[in-house]
Amino acid sequence: MENQADSTTKKLHSCQLLLAAELKRICEKHNIKYFMIAGTLLGAVRHKGFIPWDDDMDFAIMREDFAKFLTVCKAELGDKFILQDMFSDKYYALPVAKLILKGTKFIERNASKNKSQKGIFIDIFPYDSIPDDENSRKKHNKNTYFLKRLFLAKQGYTIAQKGEVLKNIVYFMLKILSLFVPKNYIRNRLDKELRRFEKENTKKVAALGGAYGYTKESVERKWFEQTVELPFEGITLAAPKEYIEYLTYFYGDYMTPPPEDKRYNRHSALEIDFGEYDL
């Protein structure tokens, strides 16, 4: 018999597919290049759909198209959806947009005390240019890292987990510092720093809000110059044409699933409510 975790994950996947279809519709209508990344791309190639134990979907749009995407969504989104970013939700602090399904709830542990809108979502990362010069990259990494965490602390997100003593000390210090800096100032400084090299045609780009950190998230721009359609749970979604290079870089032998004790989701949801989609 199917256990409750499997049932919940399958319902979550069904909701995320609705969100992915809306992203695809808008981007294709307005000639905006989007593509699957991370575990979503891995699932498309290895499973022709979701990684069975995964609980999210990740997409990316190059920074030069990202502002257009945000603008188009204000007029184009269907009435079942909300687009959330640092500027549309005054409590939200992540440098990545979320497409959210209205009438649902998905509360992650690190955002449980934060007041931003929370629903079942897919992530849409802007891919930012990063400098070719190593010293400039180090400085960019340091600046974006500090500003991201200062903004998270200001907005009430939990940065450290139980038992992470050093992280808790750092988070406490950031929390104190953030009391003396206006929220909009931090947000605008962060946005400016993320986009610092957007006018430059650098060799590499990065999802600076990604889970792997600045260095690992730094990937070759040429991998994303063209896209292809890949099957995904009965539909097709866009992928970078050079997805083999991308997946090998991130996962090595990507066609071999990890051992069972390494199969877990990473969002640590404290509460999920499917609303009208609880079928």
Side-chain angles (χ1 to χ4, degrees):
M1 181 178 289
E2 180 185 65
N3 63 41
Q4 185 59 42
D6 290 336
S7 173
T8 297
T9 301
K10 286 182 179 180
K11 285 189 285 187
L12 186 61
H13 288 171
S14 294
C15 291
Q16 291 166 338
L17 273 178
L18 294 175
L19 293 160
E22 180 69 357
L23 171 67
K24 174 184 170 81
R25 180 188 72 81
I26 288 176
C27 288
E28 288 182 349
K29 180 177 179 180
H30 293 275
N31 198 30
I32 296 170
K33 184 169 66 176
Y34 79 98
F35 37 86
M36 296 179 284
I37 58 170
T40 305
L41 179 56
L42 175 59
V45 174
R46 195 170 68 200
H47 304 273
K48 292 188 170 27
F50 289 101
I51 297 173
W53 54 90
D54 203 3
D55 65 350
D56 71 345
M57 292 189 81
D58 293 324
F59 296 88
I61 296 174
M62 290 295 177
R63 177 64 78 175
E64 55 264 30
D65 289 329
F66 194 71
K68 177 182 177 182
F69 172 74
L70 296 180
T71 299
V72 162
C73 282
K74 291 177 182 177
E76 280 283 342
L77 268 185
D79 58 10
K80 294 181 179 180
F81 308 101
I82 300 166
L83 188 71
Q84 179 185 57
D85 71 324
M86 295 192 301
F87 292 90
S88 66
D89 184 334
K90 65 181 180 179
Y91 298 111
Y92 183 68
L94 301 177
V96 50
K98 291 184 183 291
L99 189 56
I100 296 174
L101 195 58
K102 283 184 182 178
T104 66
K105 188 181 292 185
F106 189 95
I107 300 179
E108 299 173 76
R109 186 179 301 278
N110 70 341
S112 60
K113 298 177 182 178
N114 164 268
K115 297 179 181 179
S116 63
Q117 178 126 13
K118 299 174 182 71
I120 294 171
F121 66 92
I122 59 174
D123 282 325
I124 307 163
F125 292 84
Y127 256 19
D128 284 293
S129 297
I130 60 169
D132 294 328
D133 175 70
E134 184 177 353
N135 289 330
S136 296
R137 278 201 305 272
K138 288 179 179 178
K139 183 177 179 181
H140 194 223
N141 183 8
K142 181 176 69 173
N143 290 345
T144 54
Y145 184 90
F146 171 73
L147 288 167
K148 283 188 293 184
R149 275 144 189 79
L150 183 64
F151 198 31
L152 288 169
K154 181 72 173 181
Q155 297 284 57
Y157 286 76
T158 300
I159 295 175
Q161 303 299 322
K162 270 188 176 181
E164 295 181 325
V165 178
L166 181 59
K167 277 190 177 182
N168 272 302
I169 293 171
V170 172
Y171 176 68
F172 177 75
M173 294 171 64
L174 285 170
K175 189 75 173 174
I176 297 300
L177 176 60
S178 73
L179 296 175
F180 301 96
V181 188
K183 177 173 61 180
N184 287 351
Y185 176 82
I186 302 173
R187 182 198 63 194
N188 293 340
R189 278 290 306 275
L190 172 58
D191 181 61
K192 182 178 180 181
E193 192 62 35
L194 293 169
R195 296 186 294 104
R196 179 168 296 277
F197 301 95
E198 68 178 320
K199 303 295 185 185
E200 299 181 24
N201 187 31
T202 57
K203 293 179 181 177
K204 291 190 175 185
V205 294
L208 296 176
Y212 294 105
Y214 189 102
T215 301
K216 185 66 175 179
E217 293 282 358
S218 301
V219 292
E220 301 293 329
R221 182 188 297 272
K222 64 183 180 181
W223 293 346
F224 307 92
E225 289 176 348
Q226 298 181 59
T227 60
V228 294
E229 292 284 315
L230 295 180
F232 196 100
E233 302 292 348
I235 63 174
T236 63
L237 295 170
K241 186 176 182 181
E242 298 189 39
Y243 62 83
I244 293 174
E245 288 80 356
Y246 174 92
L247 291 174
T248 301
Y249 167 74
F250 270 104
Y251 305 109
D253 179 17
Y254 59 87
M255 291 302 289
T256 301
E260 289 194 19
D261 63 343
K262 301 293 185 182
R263 300 176 185 182
Y264 54 87
N265 61 59
R266 63 183 181 81
H267 281 279
S268 302
L270 298 179
E271 181 182 352
I272 303 176
D273 185 343
F274 294 97
E276 67 179 275
Y277 303 95
D278 194 1
L279 303 175

